[in-house]
Structure formats: structure tokens, C-alpha cells
Amino acid sequence: MDITGVELRRIAMPLVAPFRTSFGTETARDVLLVRVVTPDAEGWGECVAMSEPVYSSEYVDGAAEVIRRFLAPTLMAARDVTAERVASRLAPVRGHRMAKAALETAVLDAQLRARGESFGAFLGAERDRVPAGVSVGIMDSIPELLDAVDGYLAEGYLRIKLKIEPDWDVVPVRAVRERFGDILLQVDANAAYTLADAATLARLDDFDLLLIEQPLAEDDIRQHAELARLIRTPVCLDESIGSVEAAADAIALRAARVINIKPGRVGGYLEARRIHDLCRANGIPVWCGGMLETGIGRAANVALAALPGFTLPGDTSASSRYFARDVTSPFVLEDGHLRVPEGAGIGVDPLPDALAEFTTSSEYLAAV
Ligand code: SMG
Ligand code: MG
């Protein structure tokens, strides 16, 4: 495939409610969409970077700039681009995995659309629907939190994840466990603690959590191993796992008993599948994370989550969890599950009206 152009489209999507984590509050999702144009087909990728570098070091303006200046020109200068060769072509540029993932996903989408194959079939999906979990932000009060969880359970979500931070941990977890009984429950700290907090985190052992996600800083793999020896709740890594190598280290060091796979964080769906394969071979359960994706990113995530090693429900929620209107036809809960798209490529198309409504800027980079 030769790439004749790359469109960078910025959209601003209002959230149905503010989403608060240990690192900040989101009220709108500022998304960079990448459209790759080839003579045979077009493909879409969604960059998961946030507006500010607070989840990880990447951020939307930076991702757009590295694609514009370095990544897209490199790919457009190459002949016979395939998704399988994108990572090695882009390897001279260090880091910027979310930017690279968006571009690689768009290339893969174009490649699969051209040959009429779905993401699920390509990746090795073994299910036609996946169980949906939901991530519940930090709230101002316990009654508000209980109302939110109650609403999500009524909608049919099969697993609840509570965002935690120091002073919003044991009390909300206890309240949710006492009120809702035997639900699948887990927590995510987004790196808000240190090893000095081990005694507090050990108090969560009483609540039969599926896992605690990323309690410590991104670089602290060894300290996560140390923490894992001090608490009974299984430690799951998110931010720390940027590659299959990092996943192998975390498993070998016993720093993670569970891994959250986010294709954007690891450089794309091909690396995500490698991590899945590694974890499966090592008996490590994985689940698909979320970055408040629009239907474009969500479609590909749902396909990935249908692989056999994804044995825990993911943060693969319905479109309505975040958006009153999505840019594709919405993902909806059916009996607590989302249906894996079957069409070619990601299997969904942006709706021109919705795209136009949310677009804040667009630029087209043409091959020279
Ligand atoms: O897409 O449902 C989603 C978001 C799930 O909690 C979620 N993501 O650390 O796992 C995580 C966070 C990162 C984004 S928070 C703004
Ligand atoms: Mg997380």
C-alpha cells in the first residue's frame, strides 16, 4: 500500500458528566483522529492522548505535532507500507507510542478494509460480544458515588471500577461493597500512592477486589513487586506497561498478577496482541482498558477484547457512558455486553454530520 495522504482531525466531545481521577477532572474529550488515505481504501485511527500530559507524558497537541513533523512524512515516503511494518519504520522516533498507535491503527484499518477483513478476525477474536465494565470517577460524596454505581448496575454493567486516591479509598470501597454485595469490583489509583502507603492499601484486602490497578508510579515496577508482597489484592499494571518487554519484566518480577492492555499506550494493536499472547502463555489474565474513546477507538478495542486471554471485563463501556452523541452509531449494552463489529476494518464509519458537529480543526498532509 502507498499512503497518499494523512488527515489530522481534532474533535471536541462534551462528556455527559465530569470524570474525576487522581490526576484531574475531564469535562470534555479533546480527540485527535487520524485518517489514512491509500489508493484502495481509507482507514481511521483514534489517538488516545489526553489534552494534558497527566495520565502519561503524551498529550494531544504533542501527538499531532510528532505525526505532522516526523511520523506521517516517514510513512508517506515509504513504499509498500503494511501495518506490520509501521512500527519498525517509525522506530527511529523514540517514544510517542500513542501517536504511533493512531497512525498504525489507521493503516491497519485501511489494509483490512481493502481486503474485506474485520479487526476481530484479523486479531483472533473468539467471541461475538464482550462483557462491559465501567470506570466510576471520584465523587464529592459517598451518596453521589452510590447513586452513580446504582445507575450503572441498573444499566447492566457487569463490573464496577472505582477510581481511588489518598483519602478516597477504603471508605468508598467499603460503602460500595456493603451496599451492592457480591458484584465484580476493582479499583484504579492512577499512580497516586507510594510504597509508604502499603498499610492503607492493605486495608483494601478485606473487600475481595478483583484487583488494584496502578497504585504506584509508572516507573516503579520493582516497587510494585514489593507492594504485591505486602497486600493480598492482586496488583494490575496499566501506565507501567508500555511494551511487551515491560510486560515480560513485570511478570518475571511478580509486579503484576493482571495486566490492563490499552493499544494506544503500547503503540498499537499488534503490540497489544503480543502482550495478550505473552500473558496468556504465562497464565496472566488481561482486560482491555479505555481512554474515553469515541466509537472509532471503541470499535477496535471491542474487537481486541474478544481475544481468548481477555478473561476479565474491560473498561469497554457503551458510548452513552461518556457521550450524548457519538461520532459513529453508538455502542449499546445488550445484556451487559457490547457486540464485536463484523464489518471490514474497525467495522464502523464516522457519521459525517456528527463528525462535522464536533470538529474543531482539520489538516491534510499530502504525500509529496
Ligand atoms: O474509557 O472508560 C474509559 C476510561 C476508563 O478509567 C479509565 N481510564 O487509567 O484506566 C485508566 C483511565 C485513564 C483515563 S482517565 C481520564
Ligand atoms: Mg488505569
Side-chain angles (χ1 to χ4, degrees), residues 204-225:
L204 296 172
D205 286 349
D206 292 342
F207 304 111
D208 283 314
L209 300 177
L210 287 168
L211 56 91
I212 177 169
E213 183 179 346
Q214 198 70 39
L216 312 179
E218 179 177 326
D219 294 332
D220 288 345
I221 300 235
R222 189 197 58 79
Q223 294 193 53
H224 276 103

Side-chain angles (χ1 to χ4, degrees), residues 55 161 163 188 190 213-214 238-239 260 262 287:
Y55 163 82
K161 158 167 139 181
K163 290 292 194 178
D188 185 1
N190 288 108
E213 183 179 346
Q214 198 70 39
D238 172 358
E239 286 90 326
N260 164 332
K262 287 178 182 165
W287 54 281

Side-chain angles (χ1 to χ4, degrees), residues 27 51 75 86 128 135 170 220 237 245 248 290 340 359:
T27 55
S51 302
L75 270 198
V86 168
D128 56 14
S135 176
V170 176
D220 288 345
L237 292 180
E245 290 81 10
V340 179
T359 296

